[in-house]
Amino acid sequence: MVIKQVSLDIVCGVTSTLPETGRPEVAFAGKSNVGKSSLINGLMNRKSLARTSSQPGKTQTINFYNVNQEMYLVDLPGYGYANANQEIKAKWGKMIERYLHTSKDLKAVFLLIDIRHDPSANDRLMYQWILDQGYEPIIIATKLDKIKRSQIQKHLKAIRVGLDMAKGGMILPYSAQTKQGREEIWQVIDQLIAPEQETAEEAEEGAAMPTEASPAEEA
């Protein structure tokens, strides 16, 4: 996708009414400090649209990023932030669950996992939880530049085994530093939203086409 225009359109807190955007949405989940904001900035070719921080737990809202007035990238709150109290964690969890249950436009959930480490207990819980909500997570293995090229397949296998992924489950390695993997992620997103775009374009074309007069009208 060629990025022409991006903006942070909607920010939802724990008590907010979730929007019906009417456009395809893809959501990004991951534990705190896994590189979610850096990934979103990289996908949108922006340096600081999604705020990055060395302090985990920065994203405490659901943020909807409008891309080209065609779709939304949805940034979900990070999980597993140790310093957040149980009440806050529970509220974040309910907020994410409400979004996954109620969004009519959500096409897929991307789950970010740090490629350097085996999936944590929180990662495994989140993976299974997303499955339970009716979505098969697409894994993005972040921090690709932090390991040697020769170690990539070994680490990807460890993620697949650690999450007990289905055989056809998708893992996309990504580096925020080099942007390696960016095009592959966009290819997947484009495939996910293509049917929606085609339907919208066909509807517009149908509305613009002149209708033929009926025999009665011609008479």
Side-chain angles (χ1 to χ4, degrees):
M1 179 179 288
V2 177
I3 308 299
K4 301 174 184 176
Q5 179 185 359
V6 294
S7 60
L8 174 56
D9 266 16
I10 305 163
V11 177
C12 292
V14 292
T15 60
S16 302
T17 300
L18 292 169
E20 291 187 15
T21 64
R23 296 189 176 100
E25 301 166 9
V26 293
F28 296 86
K31 67 183 179 184
S32 300
N33 230 19
V34 74
K36 197 152 43 67
S37 296
S38 295
L39 168 68
I40 290 173
N41 284 331
L43 289 176
M44 296 188 294
N45 281 334
R46 299 295 189 273
K47 290 184 177 180
S48 57
L49 189 62
R51 289 177 295 177
T52 61
S53 174
S54 58
Q55 178 186 355
K58 192 70 175 177
T59 304
Q60 300 181 17
T61 52
I62 299 179
N63 298 331
F64 291 74
Y65 295 93
N66 187 330
V67 182
N68 295 344
Q69 298 295 323
E70 295 176 3
M71 64 162 298
Y72 283 92
L73 301 183
V74 182
D75 185 8
L76 302 176
Y79 58 84
Y81 177 39
N83 289 347
N85 65 42
Q86 291 302 316
E87 183 181 356
I88 292 174
K89 288 180 182 179
K91 287 181 178 178
W92 291 352
K94 289 292 184 184
M95 179 167 57
I96 296 171
E97 183 176 16
R98 188 159 52 96
Y99 169 66
L100 295 183
H101 271 309
T102 61
S103 175
K104 297 177 181 178
D105 302 299
L106 181 60
K107 303 305 172 188
V109 180
F110 291 84
L111 177 59
L112 279 63
I113 305 287
D114 189 330
I115 197 171
R116 298 173 296 178
H117 310 297
D118 291 349
S120 67
N122 278 326
D123 290 331
R124 294 192 296 272
L125 283 171
M126 190 67 178
Y127 179 80
Q128 186 58 50
W129 187 71
I130 294 170
L131 282 174
D132 292 343
Q133 307 308 309
Y135 297 92
E136 182 171 351
I138 300 169
I139 304 302
I140 297 179
T142 61
K143 306 184 188 292
L144 179 61
D145 53 287
K146 304 296 185 183
I147 64 172
K148 296 179 180 178
R149 179 182 290 270
S150 61
Q151 297 293 306
I152 293 174
Q153 292 306 315
K154 173 186 173 185
H155 285 265
L156 293 179
K157 182 178 180 181
I159 291 174
R160 190 175 294 279
V161 171
L163 295 175
D164 193 21
M165 293 178 65
K167 189 173 182 181
M170 189 180 299
I171 303 181
L172 303 169
Y174 176 76
S175 166
Q177 296 298 317
T178 67
K179 303 301 185 290
Q180 184 177 344
R182 179 183 184 275
E183 295 307 314
E184 288 79 3
I185 295 170
W186 268 121
Q187 285 174 11
V188 171
I189 294 174
D190 286 340
Q191 290 170 2
L192 289 166
I193 69 173
E196 295 285 329
Q197 291 178 330
E198 289 169 4
T199 300
E201 289 170 2
E202 288 170 1
E204 289 177 4
E205 289 174 2
M209 288 177 62
T211 56
E212 294 183 4
S214 68
E217 289 171 338
E218 289 177 350

